[in-house]
Amino acid sequence: MTGLGKAPPKGTLFGIIGAMDEELTLLRGALQDAREERAGGFTLFSGTLAGHAALLAQCGIGKVNAGALAQVLALRGVSHVLFTGVAGGLQPGLKVGDLVVSTDAVQHDVDVTALGYPVGTIPGEGAAWPADAHLLELALTAAADLGGVRAVAGRVASGDQFIADPAKGRWLHETFGAACAEMEGAAVAQVCHKAGVPFVIIRSLSDSADEGAETDFRTFTALAAERAKRVVLGVLERFPGR
Ligand code: ADE
């Protein structure tokens, strides 16, 4: 692995996005000198987080909300984007509480197969949007330092669907090689890619996207969100230039 000793980048401003209250409130508590403002229909919280300038905001559920907020943050000049939250596990062997850090992200509900495109591919775009290698490395290191928490690098599959069906989960894993399913990450990835902003998605598993997903999601989201938040702070703590 390389990159941990990089020179401090100039003008670092982290954009940090979560979809739900549980995912963002914890980080807002750690934000120093916090200021609140409205932009593009979102509430942005700016301040200092783990020694870095940061803009935090909750996007709401789903790809449109996530993409819209990512665009607002890109126009506000964020230099890096971290998406934090929970997901349903797809990769065999992964369990509730484990962490997935994105290698890249796909939109599993895109279907232009009738025109000859592979499922998940938007005509004129790549099939997947790659995460930033340095942020990925920092997130895996931060996760490893939590101790006793399993973290894998893997593909994130996003769609406007809560997956609670083992057959659908298997299809997502087999078709896309996805490690987890959620509802926002790939929209953020697509916007960040267009805007040239490096990103990574940090997801902790609240469920296994199967018949128990609804109950597990309700039971384990708080725990999983807390884990993902610790990794986000760990990335910032390890990022050069504090
Ligand atoms: N977020 C958390 N669990 C999920 C699931 N099973 N499907 C989609 N998004 C999720």
Side-chain angles (χ1 to χ4, degrees):
M1 294 261 198
T2 57
L4 283 172
K6 275 186 183 172
K10 288 199 180 76
T12 302
L13 172 61
F14 279 96
I16 300 177
I17 308 177
M20 300 185 300
D21 240 3
E22 294 88 329
E23 297 166 337
L24 240 279
T25 307
L26 299 163
L27 283 168
R28 268 181 31 214
L31 191 69
Q32 293 175 312
D33 305 321
R35 287 181 44 189
E36 189 177 326
E37 67 188 282
R38 296 281 299 168
F42 300 97
T43 304
L44 310 185
F45 299 90
S46 56
T48 305
L49 193 65
H52 293 283
L55 264 179
L56 266 58
Q58 182 180 343
C59 61
I61 308 286
K63 293 192 303 173
V64 172
N65 282 328
L69 177 56
Q71 188 68 54
V72 168
L73 294 183
L75 291 171
R76 286 291 303 268
V78 297
S79 58
H80 301 77
V81 166
L82 306 181
F83 193 102
T84 174
V86 302
L90 300 174
Q91 188 170 299
L94 288 183
K95 297 196 171 43
V96 166
D98 291 346
L99 287 150
V100 175
V101 183
S102 64
T103 49
D104 59 4
V106 297
Q107 293 183 25
H108 67 74
D109 56 352
V110 168
D111 186 349
V112 195
T113 54
L115 296 182
Y117 293 89
V119 64
T121 294
I122 299 173
E125 308 249 349
W129 294 275
D132 180 70
H134 185 215
L135 294 176
L136 167 61
E137 177 191 352
L138 291 179
L140 288 175
T141 308
D145 288 354
L146 292 181
V149 178
R150 178 152 185 234
V152 299
R155 174 168 283 178
V156 171
S158 309
D160 286 320
Q161 299 162 4
F162 184 86
I163 310 297
D165 170 8
K168 178 83 189 225
R170 264 194 310 279
W171 180 80
L172 289 173
H173 178 66
E174 282 160 14
T175 307
F176 298 102
C180 71
E182 40 83 297
M183 302 177 68
E184 295 85 18
V188 170
Q190 184 182 6
V191 171
C192 284
H193 182 78
K194 276 209 165 75
V197 178
F199 75 91
V200 76
I201 304 159
I202 297 162
R203 292 282 190 178
S204 176
L205 303 185
S206 55
D207 59 81
S208 300
D210 55 12
E211 56 279 271
E214 186 206 337
T215 312
D216 288 348
F217 177 81
R218 295 187 197 286
T219 310
F220 296 116
T221 284
L223 172 142
E226 158 69 21
R227 260 187 201 170
K229 165 231 147 185
R230 283 164 67 197
V231 176
V232 167
L233 289 178
V235 170
L236 267 58
E237 284 157 9
R238 284 162 183 78
F239 198 86
R242 295 172 83 202

